[in-house]
Every structure is written in C-alpha cells, then in structure tokens.
Amino acid sequence: DGSRPAAGDALPRLDGNVAGALILGGKYDVEMQGEYPFLRDELRFIDDVLKRDLPFLGICLGGQLLAHALGQDVGRHHGGYAEYGYYDLIPTAEGRELFGEGLKVLQSHWHGWYETPKGATRLAYTGNFPEQAFRYGSQAYGLQFHPEATRATLERWIGRRPADRHQLKGAHPPDRQLADNLVHDEGLGRWFET
C-alpha cells in the first residue's frame, strides 16, 4: 500500500497480508502533531507495527517518529546544526555488520536531534548528530539519512527548500550537494539494495 497520510490517505490496516511497514520523510517535524494530526496517526500505526513484531523501516521523519514512539524527544540540534548533503556515517561496533567501516550518506534535515531510544541499539552517527541509525528489537530500524533518494529527488528537495536552510551551520551549499551526489550516490544505492 502506498498511502500518503499527509495528503489525507488512510493508513493501511495491519492484517495477515502486511509483511512490513515503511515510513519515509517529509517536511513535517515530530512536534507538529497538533497542526498535522496525521503524525499522531502514524505514531499509533508504529505502535501497532511494533506490537505485531512486523519489520519496520523509518527513514528521516519515519525514524524520528519511531524514536518518539519509543519515548524520545526529537527536536533541533542544540547548537543549530543541520545536515544537507553527503556526510560520513560512522558505525558503532554493533553497526559495522550493517554499514561496514562507514559510508557517505545523503542527509536532508534540520531536525533530528535525539538520543538512542531506551531498549534500542545505536548503529551509527555523524559528527554533529548522535543518532543516524538504530535498531529496536530484531526488525525495526530508524535511519536519519536518505538511501532511497535519487538525483531527481535531491534536485527537487534543493529547489523547494527555503534558502536560509542552506545557511545553517553544517549545511552544504546546493552546488556541493549535487557534485557530491555524482561521487557518492552509486555506493549508497548499492548499500541500500543489499
């Protein structure tokens, strides 16, 4: 099911035909639940997925929602940092099995500051954000980075992103993001496919 709750679609019913769930990113932040009630629906959906022990992958906002569903506050970096572009993903000892010695990963966020949820295993981090990948149980994963994005996706994000976001500490300018895409996208895509 390819439902889009932000556009008014209902979330799929979890029944015996559902093998797993994926929640992608978006322009919303976890604390915007009052303004965007679909975020509360997605949090209830995640709770249901976890109770059923179904495989789950949350990417960017999806990972932040998973962390929040597990009791973590999610917000802005306390020092005002953002990540737009490609950054070194640094695996923990537990994360090396999944990430090897590390990857260059595509980031597109100014929120995403949170600690590893209680009961979860931290798998990777970047220089400015302590949580880039975590596992909860054996089948639920939260990622802050974007292995699913194509070059067209990156170009669309750059085109609609407010210009002041590129001025935030740590953010790469659009021309560097596009140049780095040519260097790092293929390797990130190979990792994601495997």
Side-chain angles (χ1 to χ4, degrees), residues 29-31 64 74-77 109-113 129 144:
D29 300 315
V30 171
E31 73 270 4
Q64 294 172 21
V74 178
R76 290 198 65 191
H77 188 288
H109 69 100
W110 68 300
H111 268 68
W113 175 267
F129 284 83
Q144 183 59 56

Side-chain angles (χ1 to χ4, degrees), residues 32-133:
M32 300 171 91
Q33 295 169 48
E35 189 177 349
Y36 300 103
F38 75 86
L39 292 169
R40 286 193 301 266
D41 296 338
E42 289 186 340
L43 286 165
R44 283 190 293 271
F45 180 79
I46 291 170
D47 282 338
D48 198 15
V49 168
L50 294 176
K51 285 176 188 165
R52 294 170 184 262
D53 198 29
L54 292 171
F56 176 81
L57 176 60
I59 295 178
C60 197
L61 175 59
Q64 294 172 21
L65 287 167
L66 175 60
H68 190 71
L70 296 171
Q72 278 299 315
D73 290 329
V74 178
R76 290 198 65 191
H77 188 288
H78 62 276
Y81 283 87
E83 291 180 318
Y84 292 109
Y86 286 82
Y87 296 80
D88 289 320
L89 184 74
I90 305 162
T92 63
E94 296 85 355
R96 285 195 186 99
E97 183 180 332
L98 188 59
F99 301 114
E101 292 303 311
L103 299 165
K104 282 278 194 185
V105 295
L106 178 61
Q107 305 279 0
S108 182
H109 69 100
W110 68 300
H111 268 68
W113 175 267
Y114 57 94
E115 301 293 333
T116 305
K118 189 176 282 188
T121 301
R122 181 179 182 222
L123 300 174
Y125 57 96
T126 58
N128 288 318
F129 284 83
E131 191 57 74
Q132 287 289 332

Side-chain angles (χ1 to χ4, degrees), residues 150-184:
T150 64
R151 183 170 181 90
T153 304
L154 176 60
E155 290 171 349
R156 187 175 67 250
W157 288 347
I158 290 170
R160 70 178 186 204
R161 187 178 298 136
D164 63 317
R165 297 274 176 91
H166 296 288
Q167 306 306 314
L168 294 171
K169 288 190 275 186
H172 299 317
D175 59 339
R176 178 174 172 185
Q177 293 177 46
L178 293 169
D180 284 352
N181 173 265
L182 296 175
V183 176
H184 303 296

